[in-house]
Amino acid sequence: MPDIPEGNNWVLSDVADHGWEVWNKYAAAGGHLTGKRLISNEAMTTTKGKFRETLDLVKRADDFNFVSGNTRSVVHGFCYSPAEAPPPGWHQYGTFLSEHNPWWPYFPRWTAYNARISQLLQLAAPVVEVAILCPTADVWSDTGLNRVAQQTTPRYGYKLWESLSQQGVSADYLHEAVLQGASFADGLLRYGPMNYRLLILCDVATLEPATAQAIRRYVEAGGKLVIVGRRPDRSPGLHEASAN
């Protein structure tokens, strides 16, 4: 739906289970599935350890954004502060980007590096082999639209892409509607410009009937399916629950 999908990166945070890397992955998947090469990122948010951010940390955190599938960084941020505020002024959330920062003279070296990587990634077609489905309907049923529960259920689910990435395999997190709208042939799950060779269900108990039928068609077309933990055995909602 958005013209420019956007993820989010927290360099230093005092919020446990913040889940910004999950936002990156969902934003990246949305861009991949709809053919958008520009996938933005609110980069370098900071709440913990203010003024302890180093340029090395900024660089490594933004490399992580690129690895997770984002292709452009929006620097967050230069914190506006009134001139009469004594040093270091008013600063919240954003990394301390200021001419008063000791590493400010070297900041252009990072932005030049970042611009080159961004351009290359926006010109390149993403290749992603693995599709991951987490128990969205189960979380919504149990806790409602709870951000922390959504990004930590199951505990391993939203770290799974990192393990795959370290083996040289990319992964996208999908939603049931994507599976329902996909086509299947030659062992591939196809949606938009993307072709996935493996589908992983992470402790998914609840599926819409149309999703279960789509997964069956995928397997019958030669697709590889891995079910981790619980096998789906129910549909969401009470409407026609017995039939579903």
Side-chain angles (χ1 to χ4, degrees):
M1 294 173 62
D3 293 327
I4 303 176
E6 183 167 87
N8 178 238
N9 175 297
W10 288 65
V11 176
L12 297 170
S13 173
D14 56 0
V15 181
D17 299 322
H18 199 286
W20 53 265
E21 60 201 72
V22 183
W23 304 341
N24 285 0
K25 294 302 294 182
Y26 274 118
H32 295 163
L33 293 164
T34 53
K36 295 180 172 68
R37 300 291 179 85
L38 182 56
I39 303 168
S40 183
N41 185 281
E42 178 192 312
M44 291 167 284
T45 305
T46 300
T47 60
K48 177 183 179 182
K50 175 60 74 175
F51 309 120
R52 284 173 33 203
E53 314 96 324
T54 65
L55 194 54
D56 168 67
L57 180 60
V58 167
K59 189 265 184 189
R60 287 187 285 117
D62 208 56
D63 284 349
F64 188 93
N65 297 335
F66 290 139
V67 171
S68 66
N70 295 181
T71 63
R72 181 182 71 174
S73 301
V74 177
V75 176
H76 180 75
F78 194 98
C79 298
Y80 294 96
S81 180
E84 61 272 16
W90 295 354
H91 297 280
Q92 187 176 16
Y93 297 127
T95 289
F96 184 47
L97 301 178
S98 167
E99 66 273 17
H100 300 296
N101 193 311
W103 45 257
W104 182 254
Y106 308 99
F107 191 65
R109 298 189 182 184
W110 173 76
T111 57
Y113 161 83
N114 183 287
R116 291 196 300 272
I117 301 294
S118 296
Q119 183 182 33
L120 288 172
L121 291 177
Q122 290 174 37
L123 292 173
V127 176
V128 184
E129 296 178 284
V130 178
I132 299 174
L133 186 70
C134 284
T136 302
D138 296 302
V139 175
W140 284 23
S141 297
D142 292 340
T143 64
L145 294 175
N146 181 301
R147 180 175 71 182
V148 173
Q150 188 68 57
Q151 62 207 19
T152 59
T153 308
R155 174 63 58 179
Y156 66 86
Y158 297 117
K159 292 290 187 180
L160 182 56
W161 77 271
E162 286 189 45
S163 299
L164 293 168
S165 179
Q166 290 164 3
Q167 301 302 317
V169 179
S170 294
D172 276 342
Y173 288 83
L174 306 188
H175 188 271
E176 287 191 58
V178 174
L179 297 180
Q180 294 175 18
S183 62
F184 314 104
D186 303 323
L188 297 177
L189 189 163
R190 296 174 172 171
Y191 189 100
M194 303 306 294
N195 298 301
Y196 302 99
R197 297 181 177 275
L198 173 66
L199 173 62
I200 302 176
L201 305 188
C202 297
D203 276 290
V204 176
T206 302
L207 288 176
E208 295 179 12
T211 305
Q213 294 164 4
I215 292 174
R216 178 169 186 149
R217 293 197 303 274
Y218 165 66
V219 173
E220 290 174 344
K224 295 181 175 64
L225 172 67
V226 172
I227 297 178
V228 182
R230 183 168 177 174
R231 176 187 294 184
D233 59 7
R234 65 188 300 272
S235 65
L238 296 176
H239 180 65
E240 297 184 352
S242 297
N244 290 339

